[in-house]
Amino acid sequence: MVLEYDTPERLQQARLENLSKKILKDNYVNLKINNFSLKEDLSKEVTAISCDATLEKEQIVFEGGGTGPVAALYNAMVNKLSASYVSLEDVEFVDFSIVAKLKEKVQKSGVDAPVTASLVITNSNRKNLYFQATSHSINRAAIEVVRHSLEFFINSELAVIHLYENVQEARGRNRQDIVEKSTSYLMELVKTTSYEKSIGRVKKLDK
């Protein structure tokens, strides 16, 4: 279902995304998909995808399959990126839909109407997060909504790690003001999903 209005949940999600940008500043990661191709076996109802992407300056190739292009792309990206961003292991793809905005069509047939792709992902706390993207291309809308959702979780994880390290460093300098501020931000960001594995990895590297 396309949400035509901002719910409290979506507004909070937007605030968390802006919080990650505020914390990371120039270190905020941009995920860009450059080329995308798919092959569908209609008789077996299996889709294979391949795409070239850029994660900051790193070139990545995603390849995978699934019951449709969205599931195939999502699975391929999570499988590839979860080695670096372990919080992706704790989120789950639960719903996807495409809706044509026929009220905005120009041609009588309506084939030029923009479409909105909606993706629902459940985090480790069983809380739903909602993502949407609109385009005149069904494939572009679907790809964009998947891209945006994973960019959101990647940067949330990076922001949590940054804040955790800030807290440890501030405690060593007895800067309780920084500890309290960073802890407050942490409490907000953990609403997106669990970052126990991410922080656990940092603790191991510090030993």
Side-chain angles (χ1 to χ4, degrees), residues 12-29 151-163 185 188-190 192 195:
Q12 181 189 53
Q13 191 172 316
R15 286 196 296 270
L16 292 175
E17 186 168 11
N18 288 330
L19 179 58
S20 292
K21 292 178 179 179
K22 176 181 178 179
I23 293 166
L24 295 173
K25 298 179 181 177
D26 292 341
N27 293 318
Y28 189 88
V29 169
E151 185 179 273
F152 173 86
F153 285 111
I154 287 171
N155 283 291
S156 294
E157 177 172 338
L158 292 174
V160 165
I161 292 173
H162 180 80
L163 290 169
Y185 287 160
E188 285 294 308
L189 286 171
V190 295
T192 60
Y195 295 98

Side-chain angles (χ1 to χ4, degrees), residues 116-180:
T116 294
S118 300
L119 174 62
V120 183
I121 294 178
T122 294
N123 63 17
S124 57
N125 300 321
R126 314 315 300 171
K127 178 180 177 181
N128 289 341
L129 290 98
Y130 302 88
F131 301 90
Q132 290 186 344
T134 299
S135 173
H136 286 278
S137 163
I138 293 177
N139 285 338
R140 189 176 296 114
I143 292 167
E144 173 59 20
V145 77
V146 173
R147 183 210 64 78
H148 180 208
S149 68
L150 294 185
E151 185 179 273
F152 173 86
F153 285 111
I154 287 171
N155 283 291
S156 294
E157 177 172 338
L158 292 174
V160 165
I161 292 173
H162 180 80
L163 290 169
Y164 171 78
E165 292 175 338
N166 272 2
V167 169
Q168 303 312 305
E169 192 270 341
R171 282 175 176 167
R173 296 191 293 120
N174 198 29
R175 288 293 306 272
Q176 190 60 28
D177 57 327
I178 297 177
V179 171
E180 291 178 357

Side-chain angles (χ1 to χ4, degrees), residues 190-205:
V190 295
K191 295 176 182 178
T192 60
T193 194
S194 171
Y195 295 98
E196 184 176 348
K197 293 179 183 177
S198 307
I199 293 176
R201 176 184 285 185
V202 174
K203 288 180 179 179
K204 288 181 180 180
L205 292 175

Side-chain angles (χ1 to χ4, degrees), residues 1 21 44 55 71 98 104 112 128 130 133 142 162 179 184 190:
M1 176 182 293
K21 292 178 179 179
K44 295 181 180 180
L55 187 60
I98 289 279
E104 299 180 27
D112 63 331
N128 289 341
Y130 302 88
H162 180 80
V179 171
S184 176
V190 295

Side-chain angles (χ1 to χ4, degrees), residues 37-116:
S37 63
L38 67 89
K39 182 178 180 181
E40 290 196 281
D41 187 324
L42 299 180
S43 62
K44 295 181 180 180
E45 297 185 356
V46 175
T47 302
I49 68 94
S50 175
C51 69
D52 299 325
T54 305
L55 187 60
E56 285 304 285
K57 296 182 180 180
E58 181 184 2
Q59 301 297 315
I60 304 175
V61 176
F62 296 108
E63 294 180 325
T67 55
V70 174
L73 176 60
Y74 180 86
N75 291 335
M77 295 179 77
V78 169
N79 290 340
K80 187 91 169 183
L81 295 173
S82 58
S84 300
Y85 306 99
V86 293
S87 65
L88 294 180
E89 298 175 354
D90 298 319
V91 296
E92 181 183 351
F93 182 121
V94 294
D95 193 24
F96 175 78
S97 65
I98 289 279
V99 176
K101 296 187 172 184
L102 294 176
K103 292 181 179 179
E104 299 180 27
K105 68 179 182 179
V106 176
Q107 299 179 21
K108 183 178 180 180
S109 64
V111 295
D112 63 331
V115 297
T116 294

